[in-house]
Amino acid sequence: MGQHMVGGSDILTLDELADYLRLPPEVIERQVKQGLLPGRCIESIWRFRKAAIDQWLQRQDSRTVLLHQVGAFLDDDSLPALRAAIYADRGRPETEDTETS
């Protein structure tokens, strides 16, 4: 990975951060634009301090990380069919009838 040392901090590009976090660059860009990941945009080019990313990772509990990753798939058209198949395999309805007779 072609990292550069600036002022003692590793600076990562969008693609380098995507490799580091093993996520698609689009997910990284969406998360940073939503303020969920620390980063800076300089004339439409994203840069990230590795130390800030490492601190962010340490602060995130597993539930928060999972929720952010799930959010990355909100626009995936295959999710409703997948969810329906999961509930069908479990033999349960997707919603429970909470009304009493």
Side-chain angles (χ1 to χ4, degrees), residues 23 25-26 29 39 43 47 57 77:
L23 291 168
E26 311 80 56
E29 189 168 10
E43 295 189 18
R47 293 293 180 256
L57 285 169
D77 294 336

Side-chain angles (χ1 to χ4, degrees), residues 35-63:
L36 301 171
L37 275 172
R40 297 283 184 264
C41 188
I42 304 166
E43 295 189 18
S44 75
I45 300 171
W46 287 101
R47 293 293 180 256
F48 307 89
R49 283 185 52 233
K50 186 175 180 297
I53 296 298
D54 288 341
Q55 288 174 354
W56 174 84
L57 285 169
Q58 290 173 355
R59 286 193 315 259
Q60 304 301 308
D61 63 35
S62 60
R63 183 174 184 268

Side-chain angles (χ1 to χ4, degrees), residues 2-96:
Q3 298 175 11
H4 301 281
M5 295 296 287
V6 178
S9 299
D10 290 338
I11 305 298
L12 303 175
T13 65
L14 179 65
D15 288 335
E16 290 169 339
L17 181 59
D19 287 343
Y20 182 64
L21 295 178
R22 298 180 182 179
L23 291 168
E26 311 80 56
V27 171
I28 301 294
E29 189 168 10
R30 185 171 48 246
Q31 295 285 308
V32 75
K33 283 180 177 179
Q34 293 173 357
L36 301 171
L37 275 172
R40 297 283 184 264
C41 188
I42 304 166
E43 295 189 18
S44 75
I45 300 171
W46 287 101
R47 293 293 180 256
F48 307 89
R49 283 185 52 233
K50 186 175 180 297
I53 296 298
D54 288 341
Q55 288 174 354
W56 174 84
L57 285 169
Q58 290 173 355
R59 286 193 315 259
Q60 304 301 308
D61 63 35
S62 60
R63 183 174 184 268
T64 302
V65 171
L66 178 62
L67 289 173
H68 288 300
Q69 290 173 342
V70 168
F73 297 102
L74 285 177
D75 57 353
D76 186 334
D77 294 336
S78 68
L79 289 181
L82 177 61
R83 184 182 64 238
I86 290 169
Y87 278 96
D89 286 346
R90 292 179 180 173
R92 294 180 15 201
E94 289 187 52
T95 59
E96 292 185 27

